[in-house]
Amino acid sequence: MEVTKVLHMNKGMGDASYAKNSLLQQKVILMTKSITDEAISSLYNNLSSRETICIADLGVAGSFYTRLFPSNSLHFVHSSYSLHWLSQVPDGIKNNKGNIYLTSTSPTSVHKAYYEQFERDFVTFLKYRSEELMKNGRMVLTMLGRKNEDRFSQGCSYEWELLATTLKLLIAQQKVILMTKSITDEAISSLYNNLSSRETIRIADLGCSSGPNTFLAVSQFIQTIDKERKKKGRHKSPEFHVFLNDLPSNDFNTIFQLLPTFHQSLRKQNMGEDGLLFDPSNCFVTGVAGSFYTRLFPSNSLHFVHSSYSLHWLSQVPDGIKNNKGNIYLTSTSPTSVHKAYYEQFERDFVTFLKYRSEELMKNGRMVLTMLGRKNEDRFSQGCSYEWELLATTLKLLIAQESIDEEKVNSFNIPLYNPSPSEVMYIVEKERFFTIDILKTSEIQRNSCDDEKYDMAKSFRSVAEPLLVSHFGHDELNMDQVIHKYNQVIANDRKAMEKIMFVNVTVSLTNIN
């Protein structure tokens, strides 16, 4: 990787720009002002009054690893928050799989490679600056580092570890979408074969989130239809109107920024040998903010609806579960009334969802839904609730340490239900909005993205943190302390180190109204 080509801060003045998000860097410059002042004052006092003072502020990683100025031309060099960036990714670190930086699971050879790359870069920097500065010239450098020899201290690498966890979750979600591709392909193909060749195909993806996986399912839908088009010898691609839905808090700006890449990938993936090419300009994308437990689209306006890993989340924590103290979800110790309340909340939500989608879909429109569920009627199977039980244990330990309020913990419950195939079938058949074409389960390992170096706590944090912070508040909850204790609970529980199998319930439906 050529760092000089790819490493730069976000441009412009947008919400994600460096200009709007560099307060930390500003604070660092102010914190080191006394050091800089001393150097500048000492330098000035040794210069003649008429001498032009030449100062260089170096801040673009990579470029300062070359000569930049004539020999003996500078009086003062300054660099803040730049020199920790290397000129390149170190060579010989292909064995750092599962990590994107140095972690406690990185091999010794990777640690060595990172340090040696830094040493080479820093030596080069010092050599060139020594040539460019006049004799007795001064230089003040501030870089993001660490206090001691512990390369894994939170301040050094924690944000990168969170990013690595996020990428692993994206891969897991991607695997689920790919695992259910055959079911989706059947629904899409059947739908397309019953449409006229000139009809605009309207598709909604509900609970789309934001990131690379947002367009994965949509891309598959279009590719499947394009294959069917070529089989029929139709020269012109249909137009697609794709609606991407999620809650208003979703990052729709990121989705729209990915559109050019999405269109480019469509163009590459649909280069058919028969010359019948798909035109990405025929695909129009609209963001729709709102809960899918409400009406989102006009009546009879959609051909196909898709939702993956969203419908197990309830619209609210069920009412009447104050007697679930000591638990934060369904467990074997939860009272019968709590089990009943959770199922009934899921049933109400799912019925509402089916009713609204039936109104929005055209007659014989298709829908494919995948939710995190369970194989049978055992609500306490490890894949369904085990991680939440570990979190409940963690919170109890924090109560014992008086680190968290017991009453708040007793009132905390997860708004989630993992349905069985029979429960899904019962509700669909009872409401008679749809007929079931396919109902299947599949399994995926919670740590399937990286079996050896999987960090269960950090992965879980990415899901649980918003719920915890919303209930307890930022001031009352130290998430670092929660995750540290959660790690301890995992270490003391052998089951936690096993490969937890999650069950996906996928149902393909046809609208009959």
Side-chain angles (χ1 to χ4, degrees):
M1 180 189 293
E2 294 185 54
V3 173
T4 54
K5 291 183 179 180
V6 300
L7 182 59
H8 58 79
M9 303 301 116
N10 275 354
K11 303 172 184 177
M13 296 295 292
D15 289 342
S17 67
Y18 180 78
K20 290 284 185 72
N21 294 279
S22 54
L23 285 178
L24 174 63
Q25 289 82 347
Q26 183 184 84
K27 285 183 178 180
V28 169
I29 291 172
L30 294 175
M31 286 172 66
T32 58
K33 184 176 182 296
S34 61
I35 299 173
T36 308
D37 284 354
E38 183 279 328
I40 285 284
S41 298
S42 175
L43 172 72
Y44 178 72
N45 290 328
N46 289 308
L47 298 178
S48 67
S49 59
R50 294 184 179 181
E51 195 167 351
T52 298
I53 301 175
C54 298
I55 298 173
D57 188 31
L58 308 182
V60 182
S63 65
F64 48 50
Y65 294 125
T66 62
R67 273 292 296 268
L68 295 169
F69 305 99
S71 298
N72 305 310
S73 62
L74 299 176
H75 293 92
F76 184 77
V77 170
H78 175 262
S79 181
S80 181
Y81 263 40
S82 295
L83 274 164
H84 47 268
W85 293 107
L86 304 176
S87 64
Q88 65 172 56
V89 174
D91 294 324
I93 60 169
K94 290 182 179 179
N95 57 338
N96 198 32
K97 289 180 181 178
N99 303 308
I100 61 173
Y101 182 54
L102 289 178
T103 74
S104 56
T105 61
S106 298
T108 305
S109 61
V110 173
H111 292 260
K112 186 171 183 284
Y114 263 96
Y115 171 73
E116 288 178 349
Q117 183 64 52
F118 170 75
E119 184 177 19
R120 281 194 298 273
D121 286 345
F122 196 38
V123 167
T124 299
F125 179 91
L126 294 174
K127 175 181 180 291
Y128 288 144
R129 299 302 82 79
S130 176
E131 294 171 2
E132 295 163 352
L133 278 161
M134 298 178 180
K135 187 175 182 179
N136 296 321
R138 299 294 296 267
M139 183 162 65
V140 175
L141 312 174
T142 301
M143 59 198 90
L144 194 59
R146 60 186 195 272
K147 284 184 177 180
N148 50 42
E149 300 313 301
D150 177 12
R151 290 196 178 110
F152 321 118
S153 59
Q154 185 169 317
C156 293
S157 60
Y158 189 59
E159 288 180 304
W160 300 114
E161 291 177 26
L162 289 177
L163 176 59
T165 299
T166 302
L167 294 174
K168 291 174 187 177
L169 286 173
L170 288 172
I171 294 170
Q173 292 165 1
Q174 184 183 86
K175 285 189 175 183
V176 171
I177 293 172
L178 294 175
M179 285 170 69
T180 58
K181 185 177 183 295
S182 61
I183 298 174
T184 308
D185 282 354
E186 182 280 326
I188 283 281
S189 298
S190 175
L191 172 73
Y192 177 71
N193 289 327
N194 289 308
L195 298 178
S196 70
S197 59
R198 296 182 179 180
E199 198 165 350
T200 297
I201 301 174
R202 289 179 286 276
I203 297 170
D205 191 25
L206 308 183
C208 65
S209 190
S210 59
N213 286 342
T214 298
F215 289 105
L216 175 61
V218 174
S219 180
Q220 287 182 351
F221 305 155
I222 293 174
Q223 286 181 56
T224 300
I225 289 174
D226 208 50
K227 287 178 182 177
E228 293 297 319
R229 173 183 68 85
K230 291 169 183 174
K231 286 180 185 177
K232 290 180 174 291
R234 295 175 179 174
H235 286 263
K236 188 174 181 180
S237 299
E239 290 187 342
F240 295 88
H241 194 171
V242 177
F243 300 93
L244 299 176
N245 156 260
D246 214 311
L247 295 172
S249 57
N250 189 50
D251 187 2
F252 284 97
N253 283 336
T254 295
I255 292 175
F256 296 135
Q257 287 168 7
L258 290 170
L259 270 175
T261 304
F262 168 59
H263 282 145
Q264 187 178 6
S265 69
L266 283 179
R267 189 176 288 109
K268 289 179 180 177
Q269 291 167 3
N270 289 285
M271 295 291 286
E273 294 178 1
D274 55 5
L276 305 178
L277 305 183
F278 174 73
D279 183 2
S281 65
N282 286 346
C283 182
F284 305 92
V285 177
T286 300
V288 179
S291 167
F292 48 52
Y293 294 125
T294 63
R295 271 292 296 268
L296 295 169
F297 305 98
S299 298
N300 303 309
S301 62
L302 300 176
H303 293 94
F304 184 75
V305 170
H306 174 262
S307 181
S308 181
Y309 263 40
S310 296
L311 273 165
H312 46 265
W313 292 106
L314 304 176
S315 63
Q316 65 172 58
V317 173
D319 294 325
I321 59 170
K322 290 182 180 179
N323 56 338
N324 199 33
K325 290 180 180 179
N327 303 306
I328 61 173
Y329 182 54
L330 289 178
T331 73
S332 56
T333 62
S334 298
T336 305
S337 61
V338 173
H339 291 263
K340 186 170 182 287
Y342 262 97
Y343 171 73
E344 289 178 348
Q345 183 64 51
F346 171 76
E347 184 176 15
R348 281 193 298 273
D349 285 344
F350 195 38
V351 167
T352 299
F353 179 90
L354 293 173
K355 175 180 180 293
Y356 289 146
R357 301 300 83 79
S358 177
E359 294 170 3
E360 295 162 353
L361 277 161
M362 298 178 180
K363 188 173 182 179
N364 296 319
R366 300 294 295 266
M367 181 161 68
V368 175
L369 312 172
T370 299
M371 57 198 95
L372 195 59
R374 60 187 198 273
K375 280 184 174 180
N376 49 41
E377 302 315 301
D378 177 12
R379 290 196 177 113
F380 321 119
S381 59
Q382 185 170 314
C384 293
S385 60
Y386 189 58
E387 288 182 305
W388 300 113
E389 290 178 28
L390 292 174
L391 178 59
T393 301
T394 300
L395 296 177
K396 289 174 188 176
L397 292 172
L398 291 173
I399 290 171
Q401 293 178 1
E402 299 184 352
S403 299
I404 199 169
D405 182 64
E406 184 173 4
E407 288 187 14
K408 280 235 174 172
V409 172
N410 286 335
S411 63
F412 177 65
N413 285 279
I414 304 298
L416 178 146
Y417 185 80
N418 302 113
S420 68
S422 62
E423 288 172 342
V424 171
M425 179 183 290
Y426 168 75
I427 295 170
V428 171
E429 292 181 344
K430 177 171 69 78
E431 297 303 320
R432 298 183 179 178
F433 297 120
F434 294 86
T435 58
I436 296 176
D437 300 296
I438 300 172
L439 177 60
K440 284 186 176 181
T441 61
S442 56
E443 291 181 331
I444 187 170
Q445 292 174 358
R446 184 70 167 99
N447 56 346
S448 62
C449 303
D450 187 22
D451 293 341
E452 294 180 2
K453 302 181 177 68
Y454 174 77
D455 192 323
M456 185 172 169
K458 283 186 288 188
S459 178
F460 187 62
R461 178 176 184 164
S462 65
V463 176
E465 183 166 0
L467 296 169
L468 289 164
V469 170
S470 175
H471 182 79
F472 292 95
H474 282 285
D475 296 335
E476 292 187 34
L477 189 74
N478 183 331
M479 274 305 303
D480 293 337
Q481 184 183 29
V482 172
I483 295 303
H484 178 72
K485 186 62 67 176
Y486 190 84
N487 263 321
Q488 290 179 344
V489 171
I490 293 171
N492 293 329
D493 191 332
R494 288 185 179 181
K495 285 184 180 179
M497 303 313 293
E498 296 174 0
K499 297 175 181 178
I500 298 175
M501 298 297 294
F502 280 175
V503 176
N504 308 307
V505 176
T506 301
V507 60
S508 178
L509 306 164
T510 298
N511 187 26
I512 57 177
N513 289 313

